[in-house]
């Protein structure tokens, strides 16, 4: 399947105004990383010094080095500008709101130890001699075959299929499911390639029953895609929805 043109607001299709806003966002981020001596030519407009102070307050006692590590760990699977653009688009190109959202996501990643506990450890926890209950629950998700990547859709989006009938909320803790979800999202980020930078999520509801319903997981999926991985989910498809999903 041939690659189509870049979507509006993404790398390769930025307007001059969007490009300036991207530069402004980077100046705020570099200040938080401890970079103060910036080329004046890189600052196309007057930034809000009070907002830089507020961002530093949001970062709290974390050092510029800690924030820098968190930022580049987040960026590592994709082009640096591509990640920042996701947050700018999510906040309709309001630079201050977009940067605040990105900073919040970085702090969340540091607190949750995404780099080590999710990405580095991953399915490798299955090789541990002594597995905790959450480790067992996490590995059980992969062994169940309940979700997998399946090629590309017509818009060149990576397709991720979830077979809902294979999910049993009673067989693992909510924390184990959250770890599994985050590990899959991070894996998808590695597989998603430009110019299409979003994925297609397909819920295969064939054979689904009320015993498979897990409100905590659904709520976590919605919140994490909205607040921590914005502009990553392109479309959600519900296949073979049972009667409980039918409207009046």
């Amino acid at each position: 399947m041939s690659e189509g043109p870049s979507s509006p607001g993404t790398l390769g299709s930025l307007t001059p105004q969007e490009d300036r806003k991207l530069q402004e966002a980077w100046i705020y981020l570099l200040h938080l990383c401890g970079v103060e001596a910036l080329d004046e030519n890189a600052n196309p407009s007057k930034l809000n010094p009070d907002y830089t102070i507020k961002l530093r307050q949001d970062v709290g006692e974390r050092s510029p080095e800690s924030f820098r590590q968190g930022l580049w760990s987040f960026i590592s699977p994709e082009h640096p500008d591509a990640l920042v653009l996701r947050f700018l688009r999510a906040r309709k190109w309001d630079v201050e709101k977009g940067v605040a959202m990105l900073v919040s996501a970085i702090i969340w990643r540091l607190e949750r130890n995404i780099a080590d506990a999710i990405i580095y450890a991953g399915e490798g926890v299955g090789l541990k001699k002594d597995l905790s209950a959450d480790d067992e629950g996490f590995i059980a998700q992969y062994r169940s075959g309940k979700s997998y990547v399946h090629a590309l859709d017509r818009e060149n989006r990576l397709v991720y299929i979830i077979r809902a009938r294979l999910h049993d909320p009673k067989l693992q803790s909510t924390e184990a499911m959250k770890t599994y979800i985050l590990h899959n999202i991070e894996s998808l980020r590695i597989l998603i390639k430009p110019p299409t930078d979003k994925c297609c999520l397909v819920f295969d509801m064939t054979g689904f029953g009320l015993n498979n319903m897990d409100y905590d997981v659904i709520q976590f999926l919605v919140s994490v895609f909205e607040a921590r991985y914005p502009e990553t989910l392109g479309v959600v498809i519900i296949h073979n929805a049972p009667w409980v999903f039918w409207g009046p």
Side-chain angles (χ1 to χ4, degrees), residues 5-71:
S6 300
S7 301
T10 61
L11 287 176
S13 62
L14 296 179
T15 66
Q17 183 181 18
E18 291 169 347
D19 190 64
R20 286 195 298 271
K21 289 180 179 293
L22 175 61
Q23 292 182 45
E24 291 174 12
W26 269 113
I27 292 172
Y28 281 127
L29 293 171
L30 290 173
H31 281 164
L32 292 177
C33 291
V35 180
E36 299 294 346
L38 294 172
D39 186 347
E40 291 183 359
N41 294 327
N43 189 351
S45 65
K46 185 178 180 180
L47 300 184
N48 182 355
D50 293 335
Y51 189 67
T52 301
I53 295 174
K54 178 185 181 303
L55 287 174
R56 285 175 174 157
Q57 292 173 343
D58 292 341
V59 172
E61 298 180 356
R62 295 175 181 81
S63 67
E65 174 63 24
S66 173
F67 181 83
R68 180 164 61 247
Q69 290 179 353
L71 171 62

Side-chain angles (χ1 to χ4, degrees), residues 3-202:
E3 294 186 350
S6 300
S7 301
T10 61
L11 287 176
S13 62
L14 296 179
T15 66
Q17 183 181 18
E18 291 169 347
D19 190 64
R20 286 195 298 271
K21 289 180 179 293
L22 175 61
Q23 292 182 45
E24 291 174 12
W26 269 113
I27 292 172
Y28 281 127
L29 293 171
L30 290 173
H31 281 164
L32 292 177
C33 291
V35 180
E36 299 294 346
L38 294 172
D39 186 347
E40 291 183 359
N41 294 327
N43 189 351
S45 65
K46 185 178 180 180
L47 300 184
N48 182 355
D50 293 335
Y51 189 67
T52 301
I53 295 174
K54 178 185 181 303
L55 287 174
R56 285 175 174 157
Q57 292 173 343
D58 292 341
V59 172
E61 298 180 356
R62 295 175 181 81
S63 67
E65 174 63 24
S66 173
F67 181 83
R68 180 164 61 247
Q69 290 179 353
L71 171 62
W72 288 103
S73 172
F74 197 3
I75 286 173
S76 59
E78 57 186 318
H79 191 289
D81 287 344
L83 178 72
V84 179
L85 287 170
R86 291 184 189 278
F87 286 84
L88 290 177
R89 295 197 304 269
R91 288 298 175 259
K92 301 187 184 302
W93 298 97
D94 184 308
V95 175
E96 293 186 0
K97 290 181 179 179
V99 171
M101 186 183 187
L102 175 52
V103 169
S104 176
I106 292 170
I107 294 172
W108 169 79
R109 292 174 68 86
L110 291 171
E111 292 175 344
R112 196 172 179 91
N113 197 17
I114 296 292
D116 293 329
I118 304 296
I119 300 174
Y120 180 77
E123 63 269 37
V125 300
L127 301 176
K128 293 167 59 175
K129 291 184 179 180
D130 298 314
L131 273 67
S132 66
D134 282 344
D135 290 339
E136 292 277 10
F138 171 76
I139 292 298
Q141 307 314 303
Y142 276 108
R143 290 173 175 162
S144 71
K146 67 173 59 174
S147 63
Y148 57 92
V149 174
H150 181 73
L152 302 175
D153 67 9
R154 294 180 179 179
E155 302 295 328
N156 282 329
R157 293 176 297 225
L158 197 69
V159 177
Y160 186 72
I161 297 177
I162 299 174
R163 298 190 289 179
R165 68 180 178 82
L166 297 180
H167 179 66
D168 186 341
K170 300 186 295 296
L171 294 183
Q172 64 285 310
S173 68
T174 300
E175 184 58 31
M177 275 304 304
K178 289 181 178 180
T179 301
Y180 175 72
I181 290 169
L182 292 173
H183 188 258
N184 274 270
I185 294 176
E186 291 293 335
S187 299
L188 289 173
R189 293 183 64 220
I190 295 173
L191 296 173
I192 293 174
K193 301 298 180 184
T196 304
D197 62 353
K198 297 182 181 181
C199 64
C200 168
L201 189 59
V202 179

